[in-house]
Short mmCIF file of all heavy atoms in Angstrom, two decimals:
data_model
loop_
_atom_site.label_atom_id
_atom_site.label_comp_id
_atom_site.label_asym_id
_atom_site.label_seq_id
_atom_site.Cartn_x
_atom_site.Cartn_y
_atom_site.Cartn_z
N ILE I 21 107.73 166.29 20.93
CA ILE I 21 108.93 166.39 21.76
C ILE I 21 108.53 166.43 23.21
O ILE I 21 107.84 167.36 23.65
CB ILE I 21 109.74 167.66 21.38
CG1 ILE I 21 109.95 167.75 19.86
CG2 ILE I 21 111.09 167.66 22.14
CD1 ILE I 21 110.64 169.04 19.41
N GLY I 22 108.95 165.43 23.99
CA GLY I 22 108.61 165.34 25.39
C GLY I 22 107.57 164.26 25.64
O GLY I 22 106.45 164.35 25.12
N GLY I 23 107.96 163.23 26.39
CA GLY I 23 107.06 162.12 26.69
C GLY I 23 106.56 162.18 28.11
O GLY I 23 106.59 161.18 28.84
N GLY I 24 106.11 163.35 28.56
CA GLY I 24 105.49 163.48 29.88
C GLY I 24 103.98 163.25 29.76
O GLY I 24 103.53 162.51 28.86
N LEU I 25 103.23 163.90 30.63
CA LEU I 25 101.79 163.75 30.63
C LEU I 25 101.18 164.22 29.31
O LEU I 25 100.40 163.53 28.65
CB LEU I 25 101.15 164.59 31.76
CG LEU I 25 101.09 164.04 33.20
CD1 LEU I 25 100.36 162.74 33.24
CD2 LEU I 25 102.40 163.90 33.84
N ALA I 26 101.59 165.41 28.86
CA ALA I 26 100.97 166.01 27.67
C ALA I 26 101.42 165.32 26.39
O ALA I 26 100.58 165.01 25.52
CB ALA I 26 101.34 167.51 27.61
N GLY I 27 102.72 165.05 26.29
CA GLY I 27 103.25 164.45 25.05
C GLY I 27 102.72 163.05 24.88
O GLY I 27 102.33 162.62 23.76
N SER I 44 109.74 161.90 20.98
CA SER I 44 111.13 162.00 21.44
C SER I 44 111.13 162.36 22.92
O SER I 44 110.61 163.41 23.33
CB SER I 44 111.85 163.12 20.70
OG SER I 44 111.87 162.86 19.33
N GLU I 45 111.71 161.50 23.72
CA GLU I 45 111.81 161.71 25.17
C GLU I 45 113.30 161.59 25.55
O GLU I 45 113.93 160.60 25.29
CB GLU I 45 110.96 160.71 25.94
CG GLU I 45 111.23 160.68 27.42
CD GLU I 45 111.15 162.04 28.13
OE1 GLU I 45 110.13 162.70 27.99
OE2 GLU I 45 112.16 162.41 28.80
N MET I 46 113.81 162.65 26.18
CA MET I 46 115.25 162.66 26.48
C MET I 46 115.64 161.73 27.65
O MET I 46 116.76 161.26 27.70
CB MET I 46 115.72 164.07 26.76
CG MET I 46 115.28 164.65 28.07
SD MET I 46 116.04 166.30 28.31
CE MET I 46 115.40 166.68 29.92
N ARG I 47 114.68 161.51 28.57
CA ARG I 47 115.05 160.60 29.67
C ARG I 47 115.17 159.19 29.08
O ARG I 47 114.37 158.78 28.25
CB ARG I 47 114.02 160.66 30.78
CG ARG I 47 114.11 161.96 31.59
CD ARG I 47 113.08 162.10 32.66
NE ARG I 47 111.74 162.13 32.11
CZ ARG I 47 110.83 161.17 32.25
NH1 ARG I 47 111.12 160.10 32.95
NH2 ARG I 47 109.64 161.30 31.69
N THR I 53 115.75 165.61 34.01
CA THR I 53 115.45 166.94 34.51
C THR I 53 115.78 166.93 36.02
O THR I 53 116.00 165.87 36.60
CB THR I 53 113.93 167.26 34.37
OG1 THR I 53 113.22 166.58 35.39
CG2 THR I 53 113.39 166.87 33.02
N ALA I 55 113.84 167.16 38.42
CA ALA I 55 112.78 166.62 39.24
C ALA I 55 112.43 165.16 38.94
O ALA I 55 111.97 164.46 39.84
CB ALA I 55 111.51 167.45 39.07
N HIS I 56 112.65 164.71 37.71
CA HIS I 56 112.30 163.33 37.38
C HIS I 56 113.30 162.34 38.00
O HIS I 56 114.49 162.66 38.16
CB HIS I 56 112.27 163.14 35.87
CG HIS I 56 111.10 163.81 35.20
ND1 HIS I 56 111.10 165.14 34.84
CD2 HIS I 56 109.87 163.32 34.84
CE1 HIS I 56 109.91 165.44 34.29
NE2 HIS I 56 109.15 164.36 34.28
N GLU I 63 105.96 160.30 33.87
CA GLU I 63 106.34 160.17 35.29
C GLU I 63 105.69 161.30 36.09
O GLU I 63 105.75 162.47 35.68
CB GLU I 63 107.88 160.23 35.44
CG GLU I 63 108.29 160.16 36.89
CD GLU I 63 109.81 160.24 37.11
OE1 GLU I 63 110.57 159.76 36.23
OE2 GLU I 63 110.21 160.81 38.12
N VAL I 65 106.03 163.69 38.94
CA VAL I 65 107.25 164.13 39.63
C VAL I 65 107.05 164.41 41.10
O VAL I 65 108.03 164.54 41.83
CB VAL I 65 107.88 165.39 38.99
CG1 VAL I 65 108.53 165.05 37.64
CG2 VAL I 65 106.87 166.51 38.81
N CYS I 66 105.82 164.53 41.55
CA CYS I 66 105.64 164.85 42.97
C CYS I 66 104.50 164.03 43.53
O CYS I 66 104.65 162.83 43.77
CB CYS I 66 105.42 166.36 43.11
SG CYS I 66 105.37 166.93 44.79
N SER I 67 103.33 164.61 43.75
CA SER I 67 102.23 163.89 44.37
C SER I 67 101.76 162.78 43.37
O SER I 67 102.04 162.86 42.18
CB SER I 67 101.12 164.85 44.72
OG SER I 67 99.94 164.53 44.04
N SER I 69 98.53 162.23 42.94
CA SER I 69 97.10 162.49 42.87
C SER I 69 96.72 163.29 41.62
O SER I 69 97.39 164.26 41.28
CB SER I 69 96.66 163.25 44.13
OG SER I 69 95.33 163.69 43.99
N ARG I 71 93.91 164.73 41.84
CA ARG I 71 92.99 165.62 42.56
C ARG I 71 91.54 165.08 42.48
O ARG I 71 91.36 163.90 42.27
CB ARG I 71 93.14 167.06 42.10
CG ARG I 71 94.60 167.46 41.94
CD ARG I 71 94.89 168.94 42.03
NE ARG I 71 94.14 169.85 41.23
CZ ARG I 71 94.37 170.16 39.95
NH1 ARG I 71 95.36 169.52 39.27
NH2 ARG I 71 93.68 171.04 39.32
N GLU I 135 115.70 160.37 22.93
CA GLU I 135 116.65 161.33 22.36
C GLU I 135 116.27 162.74 22.87
O GLU I 135 115.09 163.02 23.12
CB GLU I 135 116.60 161.33 20.83
CG GLU I 135 115.22 161.69 20.28
CD GLU I 135 115.13 161.64 18.76
OE1 GLU I 135 116.16 161.46 18.09
OE2 GLU I 135 114.00 161.83 18.25
N ARG I 136 117.26 163.57 23.01
CA ARG I 136 117.01 164.96 23.38
C ARG I 136 116.98 165.79 22.11
O ARG I 136 117.82 165.62 21.24
CB ARG I 136 118.13 165.46 24.31
CG ARG I 136 117.78 166.76 25.01
CD ARG I 136 118.98 167.31 25.78
NE ARG I 136 120.00 167.76 24.85
CZ ARG I 136 121.31 167.75 25.11
NH1 ARG I 136 121.76 167.29 26.26
NH2 ARG I 136 122.17 168.18 24.22
N ILE I 137 116.02 166.68 22.03
CA ILE I 137 115.91 167.56 20.86
C ILE I 137 116.36 168.94 21.31
O ILE I 137 115.89 169.47 22.30
CB ILE I 137 114.44 167.59 20.32
CG1 ILE I 137 113.95 166.19 19.99
CG2 ILE I 137 114.30 168.55 19.16
CD1 ILE I 137 114.66 165.48 18.89
N ALA I 149 106.08 169.46 24.00
CA ALA I 149 105.43 169.17 25.29
C ALA I 149 106.51 168.85 26.31
O ALA I 149 106.51 167.81 26.94
CB ALA I 149 104.45 167.99 25.11
N THR I 150 107.47 169.72 26.40
CA THR I 150 108.68 169.46 27.20
C THR I 150 108.53 169.95 28.63
O THR I 150 109.50 169.79 29.41
CB THR I 150 109.90 170.10 26.53
OG1 THR I 150 109.60 171.42 26.11
CG2 THR I 150 110.34 169.30 25.30
N GLY I 151 107.41 170.51 28.99
CA GLY I 151 107.10 170.69 30.38
C GLY I 151 107.82 171.84 31.09
O GLY I 151 108.57 172.60 30.47
N PRO I 152 107.61 171.91 32.40
CA PRO I 152 108.14 173.01 33.20
C PRO I 152 109.65 173.00 33.34
O PRO I 152 110.25 173.97 33.78
CB PRO I 152 107.47 172.84 34.57
CG PRO I 152 107.10 171.40 34.62
CD PRO I 152 106.79 171.00 33.23
N LEU I 153 110.27 171.87 32.96
CA LEU I 153 111.73 171.75 33.12
C LEU I 153 112.37 171.41 31.77
O LEU I 153 113.23 170.56 31.68
CB LEU I 153 112.05 170.70 34.19
CG LEU I 153 111.39 171.00 35.55
CD1 LEU I 153 111.46 169.78 36.47
CD2 LEU I 153 112.02 172.19 36.22
N THR I 154 111.89 172.11 30.76
CA THR I 154 112.41 171.95 29.40
C THR I 154 113.94 172.08 29.40
O THR I 154 114.48 172.99 30.04
CB THR I 154 111.76 173.04 28.51
OG1 THR I 154 110.37 172.80 28.43
CG2 THR I 154 112.35 173.06 27.10
N ALA I 155 114.60 171.19 28.67
CA ALA I 155 116.08 171.22 28.66
C ALA I 155 116.56 172.52 28.04
O ALA I 155 115.92 173.14 27.19
CB ALA I 155 116.59 170.01 27.86
N LEU I 158 116.90 173.49 24.06
CA LEU I 158 115.62 173.69 23.41
C LEU I 158 114.94 174.98 23.88
O LEU I 158 114.36 175.72 23.10
CB LEU I 158 114.68 172.49 23.65
CG LEU I 158 113.35 172.56 22.93
CD1 LEU I 158 113.54 172.50 21.40
CD2 LEU I 158 112.42 171.44 23.36
N LYS I 230 113.45 174.03 46.84
CA LYS I 230 114.34 172.91 46.53
C LYS I 230 115.68 173.49 46.14
O LYS I 230 115.76 174.60 45.63
CB LYS I 230 113.76 172.09 45.36
CG LYS I 230 112.36 171.60 45.62
CD LYS I 230 112.20 170.16 45.17
CE LYS I 230 110.91 169.56 45.66
NZ LYS I 230 109.74 170.23 45.10
N TRP I 232 117.62 173.07 43.62
CA TRP I 232 117.75 173.56 42.23
C TRP I 232 116.85 174.76 41.97
O TRP I 232 116.98 175.44 41.00
CB TRP I 232 117.52 172.43 41.24
CG TRP I 232 116.35 171.56 41.56
CD1 TRP I 232 116.33 170.46 42.41
CD2 TRP I 232 115.03 171.66 41.05
NE1 TRP I 232 115.08 169.91 42.46
CE2 TRP I 232 114.27 170.60 41.63
CE3 TRP I 232 114.40 172.52 40.17
CZ2 TRP I 232 112.94 170.41 41.35
CZ3 TRP I 232 113.05 172.32 39.90
CH2 TRP I 232 112.33 171.28 40.50
N ARG I 335 110.52 176.93 40.04
CA ARG I 335 111.11 176.92 38.70
C ARG I 335 110.06 176.34 37.74
O ARG I 335 109.44 175.32 38.03
CB ARG I 335 112.37 176.01 38.74
CG ARG I 335 112.90 175.83 37.38
CD ARG I 335 114.38 175.92 37.28
NE ARG I 335 114.77 175.41 36.00
CZ ARG I 335 115.63 174.44 35.80
NH1 ARG I 335 116.28 173.96 36.81
NH2 ARG I 335 115.87 174.01 34.59
N ALA I 360 102.04 172.16 23.99
CA ALA I 360 101.05 171.42 24.81
C ALA I 360 101.60 171.21 26.21
O ALA I 360 102.82 171.15 26.39
CB ALA I 360 100.71 170.09 24.16
N GLY I 361 100.70 171.07 27.17
CA GLY I 361 101.14 170.76 28.53
C GLY I 361 101.50 172.01 29.31
O GLY I 361 101.17 173.13 28.91
N GLN I 362 102.23 171.77 30.36
CA GLN I 362 102.49 172.86 31.31
C GLN I 362 103.26 174.03 30.68
O GLN I 362 103.15 175.16 31.12
CB GLN I 362 103.24 172.30 32.52
CG GLN I 362 103.50 173.36 33.58
CD GLN I 362 103.08 172.95 34.96
OE1 GLN I 362 102.25 172.08 35.11
NE2 GLN I 362 103.65 173.59 35.95
N ILE I 363 104.03 173.77 29.62
CA ILE I 363 104.76 174.86 28.98
C ILE I 363 103.85 175.91 28.37
O ILE I 363 104.24 177.04 28.12
CB ILE I 363 105.77 174.27 27.93
CG1 ILE I 363 106.81 175.33 27.58
CG2 ILE I 363 105.05 173.76 26.69
CD1 ILE I 363 108.00 174.81 26.79
N GLU I 367 98.47 174.45 34.56
CA GLU I 367 99.20 173.99 35.74
C GLU I 367 98.56 172.66 36.23
O GLU I 367 97.35 172.62 36.39
CB GLU I 367 99.11 175.06 36.83
CG GLU I 367 99.50 174.62 38.20
CD GLU I 367 101.01 174.66 38.46
OE1 GLU I 367 101.70 175.47 37.82
OE2 GLU I 367 101.47 173.84 39.27
N GLY I 368 99.39 171.68 36.45
CA GLY I 368 98.87 170.43 37.03
C GLY I 368 98.96 169.27 36.07
O GLY I 368 98.96 169.44 34.86
N TYR I 369 99.00 168.06 36.63
CA TYR I 369 99.10 166.85 35.82
C TYR I 369 97.89 166.77 34.87
O TYR I 369 98.07 166.49 33.67
CB TYR I 369 99.06 165.60 36.69
CG TYR I 369 100.16 165.43 37.73
CD1 TYR I 369 99.88 164.79 38.95
CD2 TYR I 369 101.46 165.84 37.48
CE1 TYR I 369 100.88 164.58 39.89
CE2 TYR I 369 102.46 165.63 38.42
CZ TYR I 369 102.16 165.02 39.63
OH TYR I 369 103.13 164.80 40.58
N SER I 372 97.72 169.49 32.20
CA SER I 372 98.76 169.29 31.20
C SER I 372 98.34 168.20 30.23
O SER I 372 98.47 168.35 29.02
CB SER I 372 100.09 168.93 31.87
OG SER I 372 100.52 169.97 32.69
C1 FAD K 30 108.89 169.76 40.98
C2 FAD K 30 107.49 169.77 40.41
C3 FAD K 30 106.46 169.20 41.16
C4 FAD K 30 105.16 169.19 40.64
N1 FAD K 30 104.18 168.60 41.39
C5 FAD K 30 102.93 168.51 40.90
C6 FAD K 30 101.93 167.83 41.64
O1 FAD K 30 102.15 167.34 42.72
N2 FAD K 30 100.70 167.76 41.10
C7 FAD K 30 100.38 168.31 39.89
O2 FAD K 30 99.23 168.19 39.46
N3 FAD K 30 101.31 168.97 39.17
C8 FAD K 30 102.59 169.08 39.63
N4 FAD K 30 103.58 169.74 38.93
C9 FAD K 30 103.19 170.48 37.72
C10 FAD K 30 102.96 169.71 36.41
O3 FAD K 30 101.69 169.24 36.42
C11 FAD K 30 103.89 168.64 36.09
O4 FAD K 30 105.14 169.17 35.92
C12 FAD K 30 103.45 167.84 34.82
O5 FAD K 30 104.29 166.72 34.74
C13 FAD K 30 103.50 168.62 33.53
O6 FAD K 30 103.25 167.81 32.44
P1 FAD K 30 103.99 168.05 31.03
O7 FAD K 30 103.64 166.90 30.16
O8 FAD K 30 103.69 169.40 30.54
O9 FAD K 30 105.51 168.01 31.38
P2 FAD K 30 106.39 166.78 31.95
O10 FAD K 30 105.54 165.74 32.56
O11 FAD K 30 107.50 167.37 32.74
O12 FAD K 30 106.98 166.16 30.62
C14 FAD K 30 107.92 166.83 29.84
C15 FAD K 30 108.87 165.78 29.28
O13 FAD K 30 109.74 166.39 28.32
C16 FAD K 30 111.04 165.87 28.46
N5 FAD K 30 111.96 166.88 27.87
C17 FAD K 30 112.28 168.09 28.32
N6 FAD K 30 113.12 168.71 27.47
C18 FAD K 30 113.31 167.82 26.41
C19 FAD K 30 114.03 167.90 25.18
N7 FAD K 30 114.73 168.98 24.85
N8 FAD K 30 114.00 166.84 24.35
C20 FAD K 30 113.29 165.73 24.65
N9 FAD K 30 112.59 165.61 25.83
C21 FAD K 30 112.57 166.66 26.67
C22 FAD K 30 111.19 165.66 29.97
O14 FAD K 30 112.15 164.69 30.25
C23 FAD K 30 109.78 165.18 30.37
O15 FAD K 30 109.65 163.81 30.34
C24 FAD K 30 104.88 169.76 39.39
C25 FAD K 30 105.90 170.34 38.64
C26 FAD K 30 107.20 170.33 39.15
C27 FAD K 30 108.29 170.94 38.33
#
Side-chain angles (χ1 to χ4, degrees):
I21 310 175
L25 277 302
S44 301
E45 168 53 54
M46 71 176 183
R47 287 177 297 111
T53 77
H56 287 84
E63 178 181 326
V65 287
C66 186
S67 118
S69 172
R71 316 204 308 278
E135 60 182 354
R136 194 186 69 210
I137 303 296
T150 45
L153 303 167
T154 295
L158 184 65
K230 303 223 168 65
W232 45 275
R335 173 137 167 235
Q362 182 130 338
I363 197 168
E367 165 83 30
Y369 299 147
S372 297

